[in-house]
Amino acid sequence: MPRIGMEPLRRKALVDATLRAIGQHGSLDVTMSDIAREAGVSPALAHHYFGSKQQLLVATIRSLLTRLRADTVTAMEHLDTPRERLSAIIRVSFQADQFAPETVAAWLAFYVEAQRSEEVRRLLVIYSRRLRSNLLHSLERLCPPDDAARIAEGLAAMIDGLYIRQSLRSAPIGSTASIALTEDYLDLQLRPFLPAKLS
């Protein structure tokens, strides 16, 4: 029984350590030994659970995506209006754990890796499609489909762009400012449709 319970814990510890190690290095230029040391386990154990660094990287991306999806579902759970749901998506995108320096660095490193790895690219495409789908679901209740698609693309680009800005240590933009900028953009884009929707 204890052995069954330890495996998920050790896997999670290795995934969390991968995130920290990538964040500290600012790239994927880390070894299984670096990750194992960060997790407080032997490199042999890391290889036992994940086989290779690539498999551990994929597991780390999956973990980030799972957490982001769960946080988004929770944030929208009791919200009724589409505008409230859009605000929830924006808040979740920039909440403390998603916007932590090591998480931002990891996301950027994964985008670079996606140029070489089809599996990583596929996971990041899933993230992009899920974000766009969540945005569209609410936007299509507020404006015509073509406008909803255009605004969704703009919002997704702002979220990704603000992540890139956050990675520039010389000019970081905090979570609160990122939410405000994205909300301002959304308000501006929705303004032409609000009177018709309220009348």
Side-chain angles (χ1 to χ4, degrees):
M1 185 74 169
R3 290 186 65 181
I4 296 173
M6 283 304 293
E7 181 171 344
L9 289 175
R10 284 180 174 157
R11 284 179 173 272
K12 184 180 186 308
L14 283 162
V15 165
D16 291 345
T18 302
L19 196 60
R20 290 194 302 273
I22 292 169
Q24 289 161 11
H25 283 75
S27 73
L28 298 184
D29 189 23
V30 294
T31 65
M32 285 290 264
S33 293
D34 294 330
I35 294 166
R37 186 165 46 252
E38 183 70 33
V41 301
S42 69
L45 192 65
H47 281 285
H48 170 73
Y49 283 124
F50 290 99
S52 68
K53 187 178 92 169
Q54 183 68 15
Q55 290 174 330
L56 183 47
L57 293 177
V58 168
T60 303
I61 299 171
R62 287 186 188 279
S63 175
L64 283 173
L65 290 174
T66 299
R67 189 188 320 160
L68 183 59
R69 183 178 189 180
D71 289 348
T72 303
V73 169
T74 299
M76 295 194 298
E77 203 168 15
H78 302 296
L79 300 179
D80 297 320
T81 73
R83 184 62 183 84
E84 287 174 330
R85 293 170 70 85
L86 288 165
S87 287
I89 294 168
I90 293 168
R91 281 195 313 275
V92 168
S93 296
F94 297 116
Q95 67 187 4
D97 61 338
Q98 291 294 336
F99 217 49
E102 66 270 16
T103 307
V104 174
W107 275 110
L108 291 175
F110 292 142
Y111 273 104
V112 172
E113 179 66 12
Q115 307 306 307
R116 297 186 293 269
S117 166
E118 179 61 27
E119 190 168 15
V120 172
R121 190 192 73 80
R122 185 177 58 79
L123 288 171
L124 293 177
V125 167
I126 289 172
Y127 153 73
S128 296
R129 286 179 178 165
R130 187 179 293 161
L131 175 61
R132 187 175 186 276
S133 174
N134 284 337
L135 294 169
L136 271 176
H137 181 74
S138 292
L139 284 166
E140 286 177 343
R141 294 170 59 190
L142 296 170
C143 55
D146 287 348
D147 294 291
R150 174 180 55 79
I151 296 169
E153 291 297 336
L155 284 171
M158 280 201 76
I159 290 168
D160 290 341
L162 286 166
Y163 258 84
I164 293 171
R165 292 290 299 275
Q166 176 66 9
S167 73
L168 304 175
R169 301 280 193 256
S170 59
I173 298 176
S175 176
T176 302
S178 296
I179 291 170
L181 280 170
T182 311
E183 288 280 359
D184 286 349
Y185 170 81
L186 180 56
D187 284 338
L188 183 64
Q189 294 300 315
L190 288 177
R191 193 173 296 161
F193 308 105
L194 291 180
K197 204 69 187 173
L198 293 173
S199 60

